Amino acid sequence: MTKMIPVAPVDVLPPGSRLHFELEEESVIVLNVDGNYYCIADLCTHDGGPLEDGEVVDCQIECPRHGARFDVRTGKVTRLPATDPIPVFAVKVENGIIFVEEPDPW
């Protein structure tokens, strides 16, 4: 069974905002896109750079370094130069708290 880790109350993450933090030694970003919560690894698979400051448009985050884009719902690449998807983590909201799936250990 997947362990869900509490990360923040929903009121600290209004629509259009994001929260960057370390989750079990994995750097992740929780995003609120139009009232829906998503969690992605803070790692562009093109060159290993961070996605934290990337612009989010239509559920896609753009790498601020070279413009690769990823779907925050699935992790799939939506624009080159990246070719590999980014990790995504399950998110749920319960009693006003955002929970994120614990990453699998390597």
Side-chain angles (χ1 to χ4, degrees), residues 14-84:
S17 65
R18 64 187 77 191
L19 178 64
H20 178 263
F21 61 96
E22 297 298 313
L23 180 67
E24 301 292 321
E25 299 181 24
E26 177 98 26
S27 185
V28 299
I29 308 165
V30 176
L31 304 124
N32 182 337
V33 180
D34 298 326
N36 296 300
Y37 299 96
Y38 305 99
C39 183
I40 60 171
D42 184 20
L43 176 72
C44 178
T45 57
H46 166 244
D47 70 352
L51 295 171
E52 179 181 6
D53 295 327
E55 183 178 358
V56 177
V57 177
D58 297 330
C59 289
Q60 297 177 58
I61 190 165
E62 181 175 281
C63 178
R65 294 167 49 111
H66 299 113
R69 284 191 187 168
F70 304 90
D71 188 315
V72 300
R73 299 167 294 189
T74 64
K76 291 182 180 178
V77 176
T78 59
R79 185 166 79 187
L80 299 173
T83 57
D84 295 322

Side-chain angles (χ1 to χ4, degrees), residues 3 10-11 21 49 53-54 57 59-60 64 75 81 88 94-96 102:
K3 180 179 176 185
V10 294
D11 60 354
F21 61 96
D53 295 327
V57 177
C59 289
Q60 297 177 58
V88 296
E94 193 171 279
N95 298 321
E102 179 180 46

